C-alpha cells in the first residue's frame, strides 16, 4: 500500500493537539508513556523503531511503554513549539541549531550534544534531487537548477531544517564553482530561488507538492525522503546525486526540564541510547538514513553512494555562525529571497 502524504500544516496541528494532552497522562509504576517531537520525514523510521524499543524496555525493566506519541513538522517550527510549551520527553530534530534553540529556552541542559555518541546524531543523511522518471529536464547537478525552464521545489529555510541543509549544499557547490567569490555565489543562490515555485514549511510538505500535486521539475530532498518516494512510485521518479552535497546530521536530545517533571528520564535516555543499537541502526538503514555505525553503514553500500563529496557544517563555521549569517532575520537568505 502506498503511503498517504500528510500536509505539514495538518501534521503540525495534530501534533500540537496530541502533544499538549500527553503531559496530562498519568502512568502507573508498571507503565510509562513518552513523547518524541521530531521533524517531517521521520514518521516511517519511528513507527518501526518504537515497536522494537517497547520490546527492549519491557525486557530490560519489566515496565510497559504504553504509548510513544509522535509529533512531526518542520524542524524549526517544532523546536519553537517545544520552546513555547509543547511537552516533549525527547526531541529528534533535523539539526543541532534547533535543539540549541530549545536549550536557550531553558528546557535542555548544557552539553546535550555530548550526551550520546557521534555528537548525538545516531544517523545521518544528505541532500539529493528527486526528478520525474526519465529526467525530462536532464538535471544532473546544481547548475541545472538555475536554468530558466526548471521549476524547483524546496521547503522554507526559515521553518525547515531540511531546507537549511538544502540551501547550504547549494552554497557549497557555488562556492566551489566560483572559487569563493561571494557576489557570484549569492547570484547563483538567487537564481536558484527564483525558480522555486513554492516554499512549504517542511520537507514532507515539499514532497507532497512535488509528488502528490505534480508541481515542479525537481525536488531538493533529504536522501531518505527521495528514496521513499522512489520506493512508493518506482515508475514515476528517480534520484539524481549532485557532485557536491552536505553531511546532514539530525540531532537527538532529552528535554531535561520535562523528563524531570514527569519522572521519565530513565526511559527517555534509553529511548535515544537504543537508537545506536545494531537493530535500530539497521532500521535506520532500511528507512534510507545512513547509520552512524560505520560497519553497518557498509552493509548499505549498494543503496547509498558512499563516495559522494560531502561538505560539513564545520565548513560554515558551525550551526551558530551559519544560522546567524544565512538564516537569521535580515541574513543572506532574506537578502537574496526578498531582494
Amino acid at each position: 500500500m502506498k503511503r498517504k502524504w500528510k500536509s505539514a500544516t495538518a501534521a503540525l496541528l495534530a501534533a500540537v493537539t496530541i502533544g499538549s494532552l500527553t503531559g496530562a497522562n498519568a502512568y502507573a509504576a508498571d507503565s510509562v508513556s513518552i513523547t518524541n517531537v521530531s521533524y517531517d520525514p521521520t514518521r516511517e523510521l519511528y513507527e518501526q523503531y518504537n515497536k522494537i524499543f517497547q520490546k527492549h524496555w519491557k525486557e530490560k525493566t519489566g515496565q510497559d511503554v504504553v504509548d510513544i506519541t509522535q509529533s512531526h513538522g518542520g524542524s524549526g517550527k517544532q523546536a519553537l513549539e517545544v520552546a513555547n510549551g509543547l511537552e516533549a520527553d525527547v526531541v529528534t530534530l533535523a539539526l543541532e541549531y534547533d535543539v540549541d534553540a530549545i536549550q536557550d529556552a531553558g528546557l535542555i541542559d548544557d552539553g546535550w550534544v555530548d550526551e550520546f555518541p557521534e555528537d548525538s546524531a545516531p544517523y545521518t543523511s544528505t541532500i539529493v534531487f528527486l526528478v520525474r522518471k526519465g529526467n525530462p529536464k536532464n538535471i544532473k547537478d546544481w547548475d541545472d537548477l538555475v536554468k530558466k525552464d526548471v521549476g524547483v521545489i524546496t521547503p522554507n529555510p526559515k521553518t525547515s531544517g531540511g531546507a537549511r541543509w538544502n540551501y547550504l549544499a547549494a552554497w557549497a557547490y557555488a562556492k566551489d564553482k566560483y572559487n569563493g567569490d561571494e557576489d557570484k555565489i549569492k547570484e547563483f543562490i538567487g537564481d536558484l530561488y527564483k525558480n522555486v515555485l513554492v516554499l512549504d514549511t517542511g520537507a514532507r510538505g515539499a514532497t507532497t507538492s512535488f509528488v502528490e500535486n505534480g508541481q515542479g521539475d525537481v525536488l531538493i530532498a533529504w536522501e531518505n525522503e527521495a528514496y521513499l518516494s522512489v520506493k512508493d512510485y518506482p515508475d514515476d521518479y528517480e534520484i539524481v546525486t549532485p557532485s557536491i552535497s552536505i553531511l546532514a546530521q539530525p540531532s537527538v536530545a532529552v528535554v531535561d526540564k520535562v523528563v524531570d517533571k514527569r519522572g521519565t528520564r530513565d526511559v527517555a535516555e534509553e529511548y535515544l541510547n537504543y537508537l545506536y543499537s545494531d537493530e535500530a541502526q539497521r532500521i535506520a538503514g532500511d528507512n534510507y538514513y545512513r547509520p552512524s555505525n560505520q560497519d553497518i553503514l557498509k552493509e548499505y553500500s549498494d543503496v547509498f553512494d558512499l563516495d559522494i563529496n560531502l561538505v560539513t557544517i564545520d565548513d560554515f563555521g558551525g550551526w551558530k555562525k551559519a544560522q546567524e549569517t544565512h538564516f537569521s532575520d535580515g541574513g543572506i537568505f532574506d537578502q537574496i529571497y526578498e531582494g
Side-chain angles (χ1 to χ4, degrees):
M1 179 182 293
K2 295 180 179 178
R3 284 177 298 139
K4 300 294 186 181
W5 298 90
K6 299 179 180 178
S7 72
T9 301
L12 180 60
L13 289 173
V16 172
T17 301
I18 296 172
S20 64
L21 296 175
T22 304
N25 288 346
Y27 55 88
D30 60 351
S31 66
V32 65
S33 62
I34 59 174
T35 296
N36 173 11
V37 173
S38 195
Y39 66 106
D40 262 338
T42 60
R43 292 175 175 86
E44 294 77 17
L45 167 63
Y46 283 107
E47 282 175 5
Q48 294 179 39
Y49 174 70
N50 288 346
K51 294 175 183 177
I52 69 162
F53 177 74
Q54 288 170 311
K55 179 181 178 182
H56 164 72
W57 186 251
K58 178 70 172 179
E59 292 173 349
K60 182 180 175 72
T61 68
Q63 187 180 49
D64 289 311
V65 183
V66 294
D67 184 44
I68 303 174
T69 300
Q70 287 298 134
S71 168
H72 299 275
S75 187
K77 291 195 72 173
Q78 291 288 79
L80 181 62
E81 293 290 348
V82 175
N84 288 337
L86 172 59
E87 283 203 331
D89 298 274
V90 300
V91 290
T92 55
L93 297 174
L95 44 89
E96 184 178 319
Y97 182 84
D98 289 336
V99 182
D100 283 340
I102 302 171
Q103 176 187 295
D104 292 342
L107 300 177
I108 295 176
D109 294 342
D110 292 345
W112 68 266
V113 76
D114 299 317
E115 187 170 351
F116 300 100
E118 306 295 334
D119 297 327
S120 292
Y123 41 80
T124 67
S125 190
T126 189
I127 302 305
V128 298
F129 305 151
L130 184 68
V131 299
R132 306 195 186 283
K133 195 72 172 181
N135 196 3
K137 292 296 179 73
N138 196 32
I139 293 168
K140 301 296 184 184
D141 214 336
W142 293 99
D143 267 345
D144 298 311
L145 273 57
V146 301
K147 293 178 178 177
K148 299 291 187 184
D149 64 338
V150 173
V152 177
I153 301 296
T154 183
N156 188 341
K158 306 289 280 190
T159 57
S160 166
R164 278 171 271 176
W165 289 118
N166 294 355
Y167 170 101
L168 293 177
W171 186 281
Y173 173 85
K175 181 178 179 180
D176 181 75
K177 178 181 176 66
Y178 296 114
N179 298 311
D181 186 326
E182 188 159 306
D183 288 337
K184 290 183 178 178
I185 298 171
K186 290 180 178 178
E187 182 180 357
F188 180 88
I189 298 296
D191 288 342
L192 192 159
Y193 278 90
K194 286 176 185 174
N195 283 349
V196 173
L197 303 180
V198 59
L199 284 177
D200 290 288
T201 58
R204 184 55 60 88
T207 304
T208 298
S209 292
F210 185 74
V211 173
E212 293 292 319
N213 300 338
Q215 295 177 291
D217 303 297
V218 56
L219 171 71
I220 309 176
W222 288 99
E223 183 176 51
N224 66 288
E225 190 81 341
Y227 272 108
L228 286 173
S229 297
V230 171
K231 179 182 178 181
D232 284 348
Y233 303 93
D235 297 329
D236 298 326
Y237 302 100
E238 59 188 76
I239 294 171
V240 173
T241 301
S243 62
I244 294 177
S245 194
I246 193 166
L247 177 66
Q249 293 178 287
S251 297
V252 303
V254 173
V255 185
D256 296 287
K257 191 169 183 178
V258 171
V259 298
D260 288 341
K261 182 180 78 171
R262 299 189 66 235
T264 53
R265 177 172 289 279
D266 288 347
V267 65
E269 288 181 348
E270 185 62 11
Y271 182 80
L272 298 183
N273 187 60
Y274 199 64
L275 285 167
Y276 296 86
S277 69
D278 288 356
E279 184 179 17
Q281 290 283 288
R282 290 190 174 94
I283 286 178
D286 291 344
N287 282 274
Y288 306 106
Y289 285 93
R290 298 183 177 217
S292 62
N293 182 315
Q294 295 301 299
D295 291 332
I296 294 179
L297 175 61
K298 290 175 184 176
E299 297 176 12
Y300 294 86
S301 60
D302 59 334
V303 176
F304 302 120
D305 179 359
L306 301 183
D307 296 320
I308 185 174
N309 181 9
L310 297 178
V311 301
T312 72
I313 193 60
D314 291 338
D315 294 303
F316 295 87
W319 263 113
K320 183 176 181 180
K321 183 176 180 181
Q323 178 72 25
E324 290 175 352
T325 301
H326 294 277
F327 308 118
S328 62
D329 290 343
I332 292 177
F333 174 75
D334 282 351
Q335 296 167 25
I336 289 173
Y337 190 72
E338 294 174 4

